[in-house]
Amino acid sequence: MKKIILLIIICRALLYTANAQTTIGVPAIKNYTHTDYNASTEIWDVKQDKNGILYFANNDGLITFDGSYWKIYPLPNKGTIKALAIDPSGRIFVGGQDEIGYFFPDGNGILKYHSIKNLMPQKARQFADIWSIVLFKNEVFFRTIECVFEYNNNEIKTFDAPGGWRLLTQAGTQLFAEDKDEGLMFFKDYQWQPCRTQLQTANLHITGVMDYNKDTVLVTTLKQGLFLLTGSTLIKKPTAIDAILHNDLVNCAKKIGNDRYAIGTKAKGLIIIDGKGNVVERFSNNEGLQNNNVLGLLLDRDKNLWLGLESGVDFINYSTSVKHIYATKENQTKSNAVSVFDNKLFIGTSNGLFSAPLDPRLKDISTNKGVFTEVENTKGQVWSLSQINNHLLMGHEDGAFVVDNNQAKPITSGQGAWRFISIPSSPDIIAGTYTGLQLIKYSNGDFKNDGKMEGLYESLATLARDNTNVIWASHPYRGVFKLQLAADRKKIIRYTQYTDHNGLPSVLNNHVYFIRNKVLVATEKGVYEYNADKNKFEQSAFFKPMFDNTYVEHLTTDATGNIWFISDQRVGVIDFSKPSGGKPYTIIYFPELAGQTVKSAGYIFPYDTENIFIGSNNGIFHLNYRQYVQSETKLNVLLTTVKAIAEKDSLIFGGYFMKDNQIATDQSSKQITTLSNHWNSFHFEYSSTLFAQKSNEEFTYKLIGFDNEWSKWSVKTEKDYTNLPYGQYTFSVRVRNNLGNASSPVNYTFIVEPAWYQTVWAYLFYFLLVACAAYWAIKEQQKRFDLHQKKHEEEQRRLSYLHSLELDRNEKEIIALKNNNLETELNYKNKELATITMHLVERGRILLNIREELVGTIKKLNLPDLTHEFRSVFKLVSDTEKKDDDWNHFAIYFDQVHNNFLSIMKTRFPGLSPTDLKLCAYLRLNLTSKEIAQLMNISLKGVEISRYRVRKKLMLSTEVNLYDFLIDITK
């Protein structure tokens, strides 16, 4: 009987051990230390609001995280916050020592603290830490050790504990609490009532109550494991982790899904079990947690886990389609060979081959439970795994092996084997080794080394066979080889080496493949394709738009024809089932895997669409591609901070849109901020709360009113604008993921007022100023015009005067010319007069001389008769002297020359005789008395007498000069 009982115990232990195994796929864990959030290390509680923002209870206050930025909000008394709760309106209820209240955004979306301590009874206002806050119906319950506070309708009621409150939680439709003396209690009819069970719950120290099914709840205790409570029935729930639960402390517990329960322990990390008590997942230091003391946990809206630890925050990407599989956790090893064979997952590492059993019912291999065991006889570097002839072959540093029943049997030895390639229409295979090609015969289920192929002694790391059965191989440092084998395949009869002289960019790091009926080489400068007509390699026209000249480390195809690649340590796929952009394919990158592959030796094993394996420096990554591309997680973007910048920053928007004192999804017109022109530089911070896709996110932004186009997509989560002109602006930002899905934009509108010199009043003043200036200018212009006109008139007068002067001068010149002409004419006439006068004087003299000569001759001859004979001559001479014709001509010329002198004299002095006039004329000509005597044929005395007679007729006094008088008479 004892043996039977012992056997049952052993079987049960074995069963629990099997049930305690976790899934082989481990989701990615992101660690946030206290240096990230710049506060105390302990995180006591975690909550998430409708916008996806996370809130953490910390010793230094309330911490928020939006995916990119951490912010801290201390309590007024700098107290410790150890519990949080967020009601449907968005109020974040917190509490600390002697302080209770909630955080809520103000009109500018900035989180502010509102105390409700004044609503408490005066005697209850001193209390210790608040350890739990629970929203139940329309009420908020706060738990301290001594008292539970009920806040409802601006009233606070208190409920004291007989022994001390140790729990406050909600499960189903019930609010539970646990008292040290009374045990488990529930809230009913506005009071706490004990749960009557056959077991004394006070001794259990209950730490959590969770929904289980229908009217049954699952109860966790501090050190006594799990129980099921149905009505008044409380029974023990056996689990696969009872040993842990009895030896460790359970801090917290939460139902995280259908048939999934997360239990946070003091020293064993986080354990996830199903409803039967079997272990599903376990997260501790070994899996990447910072600390095994889990104080609080949250399942966020994307079904991922957040852990509040004793030393930091950890994010478990629980719903991810990318997981890590460790062949051995005790020793970090490179893993670059994977195969699924005989219901086992084989992983080849840098120190051996490991396998784990698979459940064929599970399509996603990463969800299998099990433990990896080392395959015997595989210590050392595993290079490859290949399934040929229904056998699993292993390329190893010690040679070629066949794996059978978790044991490796050698096929070749003495030299390492890289990879294998089958021979068409033959069961034999070819192995690429450190020293060339090796032929391996297969017969009756056995592999046999048939020796090295002569003809080429090179280390051939990659092999490919084209559709003409030509073997291609590549050497990491010597280029690509095209091999022609003998008919018996025991010798290489011809080979061609392709280097940088045959089209390849280099002889280094070339990997040859046969994909889509093309011989391709992945190089350091893109993908090259073999041109049979030219017998050389050329850059592939198909792959050039994808890779251009980037380093391509690995190429392979899956069963559907998609091409998987590693380029510059970025993993991606060319998916031909998703045409886009006018191309028959879509290129999808996986940022989660960037930099995780083995450098220069990347490896991808696309088993099927739900199981893609990628080699890494520690274990392998598992990608459920179907789940990845079908993810319907809605992208969202948050504008978390807007600061106006001047001498110092001013926070004008804190990340919460408000409408009617409620948190809204977009900005209301009342929340549009108007700032003076002095605050015309701005800093914007934005983020997305898709915490599992942080590596996939890219943002684009646009400032409407300033930018004409959206910015380029970038991982940058902040933007500055400086010296904006006045006006209304709207900052808009969007987010997208690597699948091309983009969110709707979030917009924030603000107004920059014009400077005082840019306001309407200023412009009115400017208008008036301009009008006045224009008026003044017009008046000044008019003045200048009048002055100019006046000057013009004066100038015209001056010019007229000058013109008149010029005319006068010209007239005077003309007169002078005329005078000159007159003078010339006068001189001429004077000359005529003088000539006439001299002629008259000469004639008179001649006649006188003639008469005197005749008289003298007669006297000498003394002939009296001659006198009588010359009587007629003397008479003729006398008559000639008395003729007036010469005088008449003289008078005419004289009046013309001397301004009608004779006429004037006749008119003014009619008493003058002709002889007097002659005398006046001769005097006017300034002739001498002798000349006058000759002209008048009188004596000098007769001239004097005539002058006297004339003066008397002219009535001139003795002091008047007769000549001057005659000169002036015609002026």
Side-chain angles (χ1 to χ4, degrees), residues 93 207 233 291 295 371 424 490 496 505 510 530 566 592 626 628 644 764 888:
F93 286 93
T207 57
T233 303
N291 183 270
L295 303 176
V371 177
K490 292 186 177 182
T496 304
N510 296 305
Y530 178 65
I566 300 174
E592 302 94 335
R626 176 177 296 176
Y628 193 97
L764 180 60
N888 291 334

Side-chain angles (χ1 to χ4, degrees), residues 572-637:
V573 61
I574 305 170
D575 191 337
F576 291 93
S577 67
K578 300 179 182 300
S580 65
K583 297 178 181 179
Y585 57 82
T586 294
I587 300 178
I588 298 175
Y589 285 93
F590 305 95
E592 302 94 335
L593 302 173
Q596 303 287 348
T597 60
V598 180
K599 190 172 183 180
S600 301
Y603 174 77
I604 301 176
F605 174 55
Y607 179 65
D608 57 31
T609 56
E610 293 178 296
N611 299 280
I612 310 295
F613 299 92
I614 301 96
S616 77
N617 289 308
N618 184 20
I620 62 171
F621 283 96
H622 175 273
L623 168 65
N624 188 327
Y625 182 60
R626 176 177 296 176
Q627 177 185 345
Y628 193 97
V629 297
Q630 291 179 350
S631 174
E632 296 182 356
T633 302
K634 186 178 180 182
L635 292 169
N636 77 315
V637 62

